[in-house]
Amino acid sequence: MVRSSKILGAVSAFALGVALPLAPVWSAPVPSSATTAKPLYKNAAAPIESRVDDLLARMTLDEKIAQITTVWTDKIKIFDDRLQLDPAMLAAQYPNGLGHFTRPSDGKGSFSPRVAPGRNPRQTVVLVNGLQKWAMTQTRLGIPILFHEEGLHGYAAVGATSFPQSIAMASSFDTDMLREVNAVIAREIRARGVSLVLSPVVDIARDPRWGRIEETYGEDPYLVGEMGVAAVEGLQGVGRSRILPDGHVFATLKHLTGHGQPESGTNVGPAPISERELRENFFPPFEQVVKRTGIEAVMASYNEIDGVPSHANRWLLEDILREEWGFRGAVVSDYSAVDQLMSIHHIAANLDEAAIRALDAGVDADLPDGLSYAALGKLVREGKVSEAKIDLAVRRMLELKFRAGLFENPYADAAAAEKITNNPQARALALTAAQRSITMLKNDGMLPLKPEGTIAVIGPSAAVARLGGYYGQPPHTVSILDGIKAKVGAKAKIVFAQGVKITEDDDWWADSVTKSDPAENRKLIAQAVEAARHVDRIVLTLGDTEQSSREGWADNHLGDRPSLDLVGEQQELFDALKALGKPITVVLINGRPASTVTVSEQANAILEGWYLGEQGGNAVADVLFGDVNPGGKLPVTVPRSVGQLPIFYNYKPSAHRGYLFDTTDPLYPFGFGLSYTTFDLSAPRLSAAKIGIGGKTTVSVDVRNSGPRAGDEVVQLYIRDKISSVTRPVKELKGFQRITLKPGETRTVTFTVSPESLQMWNDQMQRVVEPGDFDIMTGNSSVALQTATLTVTP
């Protein structure tokens, strides 16, 4: 961010398929010759609280409402016939100022960047600066605009770097890497003049039918919490400071809560979750982020809990979030979720009532269009809402602007944004992140491949880089096919066949989804068989497209599925290629766990990639040919069939008694992943085998690389309370460390078991440590564990 006014000049016209808004066409007003005292709210040296007090006292009711509503679909109303910002139209449309602007990088007329390509860095900066100049110089009080964008695994915009999807980066079990990735995301967003990003997602994912599982860090509250903290530290900076540093953005913690285990696995469905379940599993990631970082924004979830939608749940947003955890920032709505109190949940008869319910519950801003909160001014005048409640919400939104420095510095530098976006450092990190996110699920010795002979690269995700939901538009992507070709060069012959199509389109943003024609797919399968008939080995991609697993945000935009089987004719493709008798490595590129039982039994090797970002093809090739040793671990339990749901590793003792004619064992357990080398882990050693309820002990594990090459291992710590006043899970993750060891190298990994590691919610719903014996378990997955006993005394 810069302070020079030189960046505000007009630029020449741009075109990205459609004309896009350019610089504003007005001039700044000529200052009055009269000397006036500078208002306190414009004094950067004054305390923020005092500045907010001063500004609030000067604002009209309608100016206040403008600060807690947002602009998105009405953007077109502020541009003239040449699609340039028009000051007269702005003044007419927003006479009381413009508080919050949604996604300035969007294209015109469509959510989909393929239909309406978005703004590149320069175009986005020109729009942001034009709007800020109008707000600062042409509105009565000169209040800057707050802009927000999507940045789940990369800035969802033209030219930005695309990193692996969240569930993939969770597979890295590497918080340092995730922090670094989010720091790059932050700087690419802030460089365009945007101060707020709607990420990360810290919902725990307990139902793989749910299409948004790809956006999460997995099923475990501890893992999700640690990843969430790292993501926020990357976006905002490390520490609890409430002042936003240069090159960073405010994170938005979402979605509070229960969103990750919806009824029937369908998005926005009710969360049939008790208070105990909330406190033990769904609350902890949010609580950890609130208490350990400077998080300033939280987004409520679409779903209801015990009959109360989150956007109307004062217990959740006030009693828990603010009073118990000490959150001091702003609560923003999910898109149209306030309106849905009327249209979906039917707890409000109209938008006026929806606005009253949400404001009473503690929702401070109505995203993305402010349709419900637009009525709040009228409701205050009618005596149905107190202006004091409006003031509280406005205060929180204004504080974001003051803490971001927007009153002093609302502008961005287009040249700097172009220079920093998708630069060599960002691209190198995208490759590293993809490499560290890949998990090897099976290997009978086929991998690593040798770059020789003839290799068939087949499958619906072989020749396209699948980026996953909320993807951006990186300038260059690498498919698996391209990565393999670049890796082997002339050393091996590569043949390609698509094999099948999964969906007719793969545009995540488009509403309609059509499965590909089975007859046409069987023709493609026949072609693939012929292409592979004389090769030496096969690399086969299977899984999803961005349409077959995604956020289902409307009745006409679905993304959840009742089955976990491979979509379409993918299993037929595998069966046909397997019949050739060739060695097959399967690379899974998917947004949700797949119940690939037959593939798991019959493939020679399997890599789980999820969605690996713009450098995914190079990363897969690096792992396939052994230049990178895979070290990822599964952040979710992979079920054998949808009939096992819900399935997660930290189940209660009475669960999983057994099934007739099948097993309760998952296809792959949480925390599982293989390597090209082997590791020997010792049993855990405790520095003290007996401690008091407020005491601590250190757990030590010796890890030796007993194999032929360097590699990574993730050492995991689990705890079980053996006898307790209420039922407790059979094990709970309480620590993990990813380490790199050379062949023959040994390292001792240590964990601290503290009261926080042992605490529970007792039968009085009090958080306590109960005396007794605890199993302290360590290993390299949730099922490969060794145990020591810790005794906790009163």
Side-chain angles (χ1 to χ4, degrees), residues 184-217:
V184 171
I185 294 170
R187 77 185 187 201
E188 292 191 357
I189 294 175
R190 186 71 181 273
R192 299 196 198 188
V194 176
S195 301
L196 179 68
V197 63
L198 303 186
S199 69
V201 173
V202 293
D203 300 295
I204 64 167
R206 287 280 180 102
D207 195 325
R209 296 173 297 180
W210 182 52
R212 300 195 77 173
I213 189 172
E214 65 177 88
E215 301 176 36
T216 76
Y217 297 125

mmCIF file of all heavy atoms in Angstrom, residues 184-217:
data_model
loop_
_atom_site.group_PDB
_atom_site.id
_atom_site.type_symbol
_atom_site.label_atom_id
_atom_site.label_comp_id
_atom_site.label_asym_id
_atom_site.label_seq_id
_atom_site.Cartn_x
_atom_site.Cartn_y
_atom_site.Cartn_z
ATOM 1 N N VAL A 184 1.471 -15.285 1.433
ATOM 2 C CA VAL A 184 1.503 -14.930 0.011
ATOM 3 C C VAL A 184 0.104 -14.545 -0.475
ATOM 4 O O VAL A 184 -0.076 -13.570 -1.218
ATOM 5 C CB VAL A 184 2.081 -16.086 -0.827
ATOM 6 C CG1 VAL A 184 1.911 -15.813 -2.317
ATOM 7 C CG2 VAL A 184 3.550 -16.290 -0.489
ATOM 8 N N ILE A 185 -0.898 -15.324 -0.062
ATOM 9 C CA ILE A 185 -2.277 -14.974 -0.426
ATOM 10 C C ILE A 185 -2.604 -13.562 0.053
ATOM 11 O O ILE A 185 -3.180 -12.748 -0.685
ATOM 12 C CB ILE A 185 -3.258 -15.995 0.179
ATOM 13 C CG1 ILE A 185 -3.055 -17.381 -0.446
ATOM 14 C CG2 ILE A 185 -4.697 -15.532 -0.013
ATOM 15 C CD1 ILE A 185 -3.821 -18.489 0.261
ATOM 16 N N ALA A 186 -2.212 -13.253 1.282
ATOM 17 C CA ALA A 186 -2.514 -11.940 1.859
ATOM 18 C C ALA A 186 -1.873 -10.823 1.059
ATOM 19 O O ALA A 186 -2.513 -9.805 0.755
ATOM 20 C CB ALA A 186 -2.043 -11.895 3.315
ATOM 21 N N ARG A 187 -0.620 -10.975 0.732
ATOM 22 C CA ARG A 187 0.058 -9.865 0.047
ATOM 23 C C ARG A 187 -0.485 -9.657 -1.359
ATOM 24 O O ARG A 187 -0.544 -8.527 -1.840
ATOM 25 C CB ARG A 187 1.562 -10.091 0.037
ATOM 26 C CG ARG A 187 2.072 -11.107 -0.956
ATOM 27 C CD ARG A 187 3.555 -11.353 -0.800
ATOM 28 N NE ARG A 187 4.080 -12.196 -1.858
ATOM 29 C CZ ARG A 187 5.205 -12.889 -1.779
ATOM 30 N NH1 ARG A 187 5.925 -12.815 -0.677
ATOM 31 N NH2 ARG A 187 5.619 -13.622 -2.797
ATOM 32 N N GLU A 188 -0.920 -10.751 -2.039
ATOM 33 C CA GLU A 188 -1.484 -10.590 -3.371
ATOM 34 C C GLU A 188 -2.842 -9.895 -3.307
ATOM 35 O O GLU A 188 -3.209 -9.151 -4.227
ATOM 36 C CB GLU A 188 -1.589 -11.940 -4.082
ATOM 37 C CG GLU A 188 -0.234 -12.545 -4.416
ATOM 38 C CD GLU A 188 -0.321 -13.757 -5.346
ATOM 39 O OE1 GLU A 188 -1.441 -14.172 -5.693
ATOM 40 O OE2 GLU A 188 0.752 -14.286 -5.719
ATOM 41 N N ILE A 189 -3.592 -10.120 -2.244
ATOM 42 C CA ILE A 189 -4.895 -9.460 -2.077
ATOM 43 C C ILE A 189 -4.723 -8.016 -1.623
ATOM 44 O O ILE A 189 -5.324 -7.093 -2.181
ATOM 45 C CB ILE A 189 -5.763 -10.255 -1.088
ATOM 46 C CG1 ILE A 189 -6.115 -11.630 -1.672
ATOM 47 C CG2 ILE A 189 -7.040 -9.484 -0.744
ATOM 48 C CD1 ILE A 189 -6.869 -12.539 -0.726
ATOM 49 N N ARG A 190 -3.882 -7.807 -0.610
ATOM 50 C CA ARG A 190 -3.693 -6.440 -0.090
ATOM 51 C C ARG A 190 -3.090 -5.519 -1.144
ATOM 52 O O ARG A 190 -3.370 -4.306 -1.163
ATOM 53 C CB ARG A 190 -2.800 -6.483 1.147
ATOM 54 C CG ARG A 190 -2.659 -5.135 1.869
ATOM 55 C CD ARG A 190 -3.929 -4.736 2.571
ATOM 56 N NE ARG A 190 -3.825 -3.440 3.238
ATOM 57 C CZ ARG A 190 -3.372 -3.246 4.467
ATOM 58 N NH1 ARG A 190 -2.957 -4.305 5.186
ATOM 59 N NH2 ARG A 190 -3.324 -2.046 4.992
ATOM 60 N N ALA A 191 -2.279 -6.075 -2.026
ATOM 61 C CA ALA A 191 -1.659 -5.252 -3.062
ATOM 62 C C ALA A 191 -2.685 -4.608 -3.978
ATOM 63 O O ALA A 191 -2.400 -3.601 -4.624
ATOM 64 C CB ALA A 191 -0.680 -6.090 -3.890
ATOM 65 N N ARG A 192 -3.887 -5.181 -4.022
ATOM 66 C CA ARG A 192 -4.939 -4.601 -4.863
ATOM 67 C C ARG A 192 -5.868 -3.678 -4.072
ATOM 68 O O ARG A 192 -6.912 -3.265 -4.570
ATOM 69 C CB ARG A 192 -5.752 -5.708 -5.534
ATOM 70 C CG ARG A 192 -4.920 -6.601 -6.440
ATOM 71 C CD ARG A 192 -5.771 -7.426 -7.374
ATOM 72 N NE ARG A 192 -5.032 -8.561 -7.916
ATOM 73 C CZ ARG A 192 -5.483 -9.362 -8.878
ATOM 74 N NH1 ARG A 192 -6.665 -9.161 -9.409
ATOM 75 N NH2 ARG A 192 -4.763 -10.379 -9.308
ATOM 76 N N GLY A 193 -5.500 -3.372 -2.847
ATOM 77 C CA GLY A 193 -6.289 -2.429 -2.079
ATOM 78 C C GLY A 193 -7.406 -3.050 -1.272
ATOM 79 O O GLY A 193 -8.298 -2.335 -0.800
ATOM 80 N N VAL A 194 -7.369 -4.345 -1.065
ATOM 81 C CA VAL A 194 -8.413 -5.078 -0.341
ATOM 82 C C VAL A 194 -7.883 -5.442 1.039
ATOM 83 O O VAL A 194 -6.756 -5.918 1.172
ATOM 84 C CB VAL A 194 -8.834 -6.333 -1.118
ATOM 85 C CG1 VAL A 194 -9.854 -7.149 -0.337
ATOM 86 C CG2 VAL A 194 -9.393 -5.932 -2.485
ATOM 87 N N SER A 195 -8.715 -5.252 2.060
ATOM 88 C CA SER A 195 -8.255 -5.432 3.441
ATOM 89 C C SER A 195 -8.875 -6.615 4.171
ATOM 90 O O SER A 195 -8.470 -6.913 5.289
ATOM 91 C CB SER A 195 -8.549 -4.167 4.260
ATOM 92 O OG SER A 195 -7.919 -3.050 3.693
ATOM 93 N N LEU A 196 -9.869 -7.277 3.571
ATOM 94 C CA LEU A 196 -10.574 -8.362 4.257
ATOM 95 C C LEU A 196 -10.720 -9.542 3.316
ATOM 96 O O LEU A 196 -11.118 -9.372 2.150
ATOM 97 C CB LEU A 196 -11.954 -7.882 4.705
ATOM 98 C CG LEU A 196 -12.857 -8.892 5.421
ATOM 99 C CD1 LEU A 196 -12.288 -9.257 6.788
ATOM 100 C CD2 LEU A 196 -14.274 -8.340 5.579
ATOM 101 N N VAL A 197 -10.412 -10.735 3.817
ATOM 102 C CA VAL A 197 -10.559 -11.948 3.016
ATOM 103 C C VAL A 197 -11.466 -12.923 3.758
ATOM 104 O O VAL A 197 -11.409 -13.023 4.987
ATOM 105 C CB VAL A 197 -9.188 -12.592 2.711
ATOM 106 C CG1 VAL A 197 -8.498 -13.047 3.986
ATOM 107 C CG2 VAL A 197 -9.324 -13.759 1.744
ATOM 108 N N LEU A 198 -12.314 -13.620 3.005
ATOM 109 C CA LEU A 198 -13.264 -14.547 3.618
ATOM 110 C C LEU A 198 -12.659 -15.945 3.724
ATOM 111 O O LEU A 198 -13.076 -16.889 3.064
ATOM 112 C CB LEU A 198 -14.564 -14.571 2.810
ATOM 113 C CG LEU A 198 -15.258 -13.218 2.626
ATOM 114 C CD1 LEU A 198 -16.605 -13.397 1.936
ATOM 115 C CD2 LEU A 198 -15.423 -12.486 3.958
ATOM 116 N N SER A 199 -11.684 -16.090 4.551
ATOM 117 C CA SER A 199 -11.055 -17.373 4.861
ATOM 118 C C SER A 199 -10.280 -17.175 6.164
ATOM 119 O O SER A 199 -10.004 -16.041 6.556
ATOM 120 C CB SER A 199 -10.137 -17.827 3.720
ATOM 121 O OG SER A 199 -9.002 -17.000 3.619
ATOM 122 N N PRO A 200 -9.949 -18.268 6.883
ATOM 123 C CA PRO A 200 -10.045 -19.668 6.490
ATOM 124 C C PRO A 200 -11.333 -20.324 6.985
ATOM 125 O O PRO A 200 -12.054 -19.771 7.813
ATOM 126 C CB PRO A 200 -8.851 -20.287 7.227
ATOM 127 C CG PRO A 200 -8.789 -19.490 8.511
ATOM 128 C CD PRO A 200 -9.164 -18.075 8.129
ATOM 129 N N VAL A 201 -11.566 -21.542 6.490
ATOM 130 C CA VAL A 201 -12.658 -22.392 6.961
ATOM 131 C C VAL A 201 -12.115 -23.294 8.067
ATOM 132 O O VAL A 201 -11.178 -24.050 7.843
ATOM 133 C CB VAL A 201 -13.235 -23.252 5.822
ATOM 134 C CG1 VAL A 201 -14.250 -24.260 6.347
ATOM 135 C CG2 VAL A 201 -13.874 -22.364 4.755
ATOM 136 N N VAL A 202 -12.710 -23.203 9.263
ATOM 137 C CA VAL A 202 -12.275 -24.080 10.355
ATOM 138 C C VAL A 202 -13.421 -24.964 10.846
ATOM 139 O O VAL A 202 -13.417 -25.416 11.990
ATOM 140 C CB VAL A 202 -11.636 -23.294 11.521
ATOM 141 C CG1 VAL A 202 -10.322 -22.671 11.090
ATOM 142 C CG2 VAL A 202 -12.583 -22.256 12.085
ATOM 143 N N ASP A 203 -14.390 -25.212 9.968
ATOM 144 C CA ASP A 203 -15.370 -26.253 10.255
ATOM 145 C C ASP A 203 -14.663 -27.602 10.252
ATOM 146 O O ASP A 203 -13.836 -27.869 9.374
ATOM 147 C CB ASP A 203 -16.449 -26.297 9.170
ATOM 148 C CG ASP A 203 -17.202 -24.991 9.037
ATOM 149 O OD1 ASP A 203 -17.898 -24.628 9.989
ATOM 150 O OD2 ASP A 203 -17.094 -24.343 7.981
ATOM 151 N N ILE A 204 -14.986 -28.474 11.208
ATOM 152 C CA ILE A 204 -14.513 -29.849 11.074
ATOM 153 C C ILE A 204 -15.478 -30.566 10.124
ATOM 154 O O ILE A 204 -16.676 -30.317 10.119
ATOM 155 C CB ILE A 204 -14.405 -30.576 12.424
ATOM 156 C CG1 ILE A 204 -15.767 -30.726 13.099
ATOM 157 C CG2 ILE A 204 -13.407 -29.897 13.332
ATOM 158 C CD1 ILE A 204 -15.752 -31.702 14.266
ATOM 159 N N ALA A 205 -14.933 -31.434 9.299
ATOM 160 C CA ALA A 205 -15.716 -32.104 8.257
ATOM 161 C C ALA A 205 -16.036 -33.516 8.703
ATOM 162 O O ALA A 205 -15.147 -34.368 8.796
ATOM 163 C CB ALA A 205 -14.930 -32.127 6.939
ATOM 164 N N ARG A 206 -17.301 -33.782 8.949
ATOM 165 C CA ARG A 206 -17.715 -35.077 9.480
ATOM 166 C C ARG A 206 -18.617 -35.846 8.507
ATOM 167 O O ARG A 206 -19.165 -36.869 8.882
ATOM 168 C CB ARG A 206 -18.453 -34.861 10.807
ATOM 169 C CG ARG A 206 -17.526 -34.478 11.973
ATOM 170 C CD ARG A 206 -16.866 -35.720 12.525
ATOM 171 N NE ARG A 206 -15.955 -35.461 13.630
ATOM 172 C CZ ARG A 206 -16.238 -35.672 14.918
ATOM 173 N NH1 ARG A 206 -17.437 -36.071 15.271
ATOM 174 N NH2 ARG A 206 -15.330 -35.482 15.835
ATOM 175 N N ASP A 207 -18.813 -35.342 7.285
ATOM 176 C CA ASP A 207 -19.658 -36.047 6.315
ATOM 177 C C ASP A 207 -19.117 -35.803 4.912
ATOM 178 O O ASP A 207 -19.277 -34.710 4.360
ATOM 179 C CB ASP A 207 -21.106 -35.570 6.408
ATOM 180 C CG ASP A 207 -22.072 -36.511 5.696
ATOM 181 O OD1 ASP A 207 -21.686 -37.078 4.643
ATOM 182 O OD2 ASP A 207 -23.204 -36.686 6.171
ATOM 183 N N PRO A 208 -18.460 -36.796 4.317
ATOM 184 C CA PRO A 208 -17.858 -36.593 2.994
ATOM 185 C C PRO A 208 -18.863 -36.477 1.857
ATOM 186 O O PRO A 208 -18.463 -36.192 0.724
ATOM 187 C CB PRO A 208 -16.961 -37.825 2.832
ATOM 188 C CG PRO A 208 -17.558 -38.854 3.717
ATOM 189 C CD PRO A 208 -18.132 -38.106 4.892
ATOM 190 N N ARG A 209 -20.149 -36.681 2.128
ATOM 191 C CA ARG A 209 -21.149 -36.393 1.094
ATOM 192 C C ARG A 209 -21.246 -34.890 0.858
ATOM 193 O O ARG A 209 -21.673 -34.447 -0.215
ATOM 194 C CB ARG A 209 -22.510 -36.953 1.499
ATOM 195 C CG ARG A 209 -22.578 -38.456 1.612
ATOM 196 C CD ARG A 209 -23.914 -38.912 2.186
ATOM 197 N NE ARG A 209 -24.118 -38.426 3.550
ATOM 198 C CZ ARG A 209 -25.201 -38.683 4.270
ATOM 199 N NH1 ARG A 209 -26.184 -39.392 3.763
ATOM 200 N NH2 ARG A 209 -25.313 -38.220 5.499
ATOM 201 N N TRP A 210 -20.896 -34.137 1.870
ATOM 202 C CA TRP A 210 -20.962 -32.675 1.840
ATOM 203 C C TRP A 210 -19.909 -32.128 0.884
ATOM 204 O O TRP A 210 -18.708 -32.362 1.054
ATOM 205 C CB TRP A 210 -20.734 -32.172 3.263
ATOM 206 C CG TRP A 210 -20.814 -30.706 3.476
ATOM 207 C CD1 TRP A 210 -21.815 -29.860 3.114
ATOM 208 C CD2 TRP A 210 -19.838 -29.911 4.167
ATOM 209 N NE1 TRP A 210 -21.522 -28.585 3.536
ATOM 210 C CE2 TRP A 210 -20.321 -28.590 4.180
ATOM 211 C CE3 TRP A 210 -18.613 -30.195 4.779
ATOM 212 C CZ2 TRP A 210 -19.616 -27.535 4.783
ATOM 213 C CZ3 TRP A 210 -17.914 -29.165 5.372
ATOM 214 C CH2 TRP A 210 -18.412 -27.856 5.370
ATOM 215 N N GLY A 211 -20.332 -31.393 -0.118
ATOM 216 C CA GLY A 211 -19.415 -30.951 -1.158
ATOM 217 C C GLY A 211 -18.363 -29.967 -0.704
ATOM 218 O O GLY A 211 -17.331 -29.814 -1.368
ATOM 219 N N ARG A 212 -18.581 -29.320 0.434
ATOM 220 C CA ARG A 212 -17.620 -28.323 0.899
ATOM 221 C C ARG A 212 -16.494 -28.943 1.719
ATOM 222 O O ARG A 212 -15.637 -28.209 2.243
ATOM 223 C CB ARG A 212 -18.314 -27.245 1.737
ATOM 224 C CG ARG A 212 -19.381 -26.485 1.004
ATOM 225 C CD ARG A 212 -19.789 -25.204 1.708
ATOM 226 N NE ARG A 212 -18.805 -24.159 1.516
ATOM 227 C CZ ARG A 212 -18.987 -22.893 1.920
ATOM 228 N NH1 ARG A 212 -20.102 -22.561 2.554
ATOM 229 N NH2 ARG A 212 -18.054 -21.981 1.703
ATOM 230 N N ILE A 213 -16.441 -30.252 1.827
ATOM 231 C CA ILE A 213 -15.381 -30.883 2.612
ATOM 232 C C ILE A 213 -14.002 -30.483 2.100
ATOM 233 O O ILE A 213 -13.049 -30.369 2.868
ATOM 234 C CB ILE A 213 -15.551 -32.422 2.632
ATOM 235 C CG1 ILE A 213 -14.571 -33.063 3.628
ATOM 236 C CG2 ILE A 213 -15.437 -33.017 1.246
ATOM 237 C CD1 ILE A 213 -14.818 -34.549 3.853
ATOM 238 N N GLU A 214 -13.893 -30.221 0.791
ATOM 239 C CA GLU A 214 -12.600 -29.824 0.229
ATOM 240 C C GLU A 214 -12.089 -28.514 0.801
ATOM 241 O O GLU A 214 -10.890 -28.251 0.806
ATOM 242 C CB GLU A 214 -12.709 -29.685 -1.289
ATOM 243 C CG GLU A 214 -13.620 -28.564 -1.740
ATOM 244 C CD GLU A 214 -13.657 -28.385 -3.248
ATOM 245 O OE1 GLU A 214 -14.483 -29.046 -3.904
ATOM 246 O OE2 GLU A 214 -12.869 -27.584 -3.751
ATOM 247 N N GLU A 215 -12.993 -27.652 1.295
ATOM 248 C CA GLU A 215 -12.605 -26.352 1.817
ATOM 249 C C GLU A 215 -12.080 -26.420 3.246
ATOM 250 O O GLU A 215 -11.597 -25.413 3.777
ATOM 251 C CB GLU A 215 -13.795 -25.396 1.782
ATOM 252 C CG GLU A 215 -14.396 -25.172 0.408
ATOM 253 C CD GLU A 215 -15.634 -24.300 0.478
ATOM 254 O OE1 GLU A 215 -15.659 -23.370 1.314
ATOM 255 O OE2 GLU A 215 -16.588 -24.542 -0.286
ATOM 256 N N THR A 216 -12.163 -27.580 3.863
ATOM 257 C CA THR A 216 -11.823 -27.721 5.277
ATOM 258 C C THR A 216 -10.422 -28.296 5.458
ATOM 259 O O THR A 216 -9.783 -28.767 4.515
ATOM 260 C CB THR A 216 -12.825 -28.642 5.988
ATOM 261 O OG1 THR A 216 -12.550 -30.012 5.647
ATOM 262 C CG2 THR A 216 -14.261 -28.308 5.606
ATOM 263 N N TYR A 217 -9.985 -28.287 6.720
ATOM 264 C CA TYR A 217 -8.716 -28.918 7.085
ATOM 265 C C TYR A 217 -8.925 -30.305 7.690
ATOM 266 O O TYR A 217 -8.033 -30.834 8.360
ATOM 267 C CB TYR A 217 -7.950 -28.030 8.061
ATOM 268 C CG TYR A 217 -7.552 -26.687 7.481
ATOM 269 C CD1 TYR A 217 -7.911 -25.501 8.109
ATOM 270 C CD2 TYR A 217 -6.827 -26.602 6.298
ATOM 271 C CE1 TYR A 217 -7.550 -24.268 7.581
ATOM 272 C CE2 TYR A 217 -6.464 -25.377 5.764
ATOM 273 C CZ TYR A 217 -6.831 -24.211 6.411
ATOM 274 O OH TYR A 217 -6.475 -22.988 5.872
#
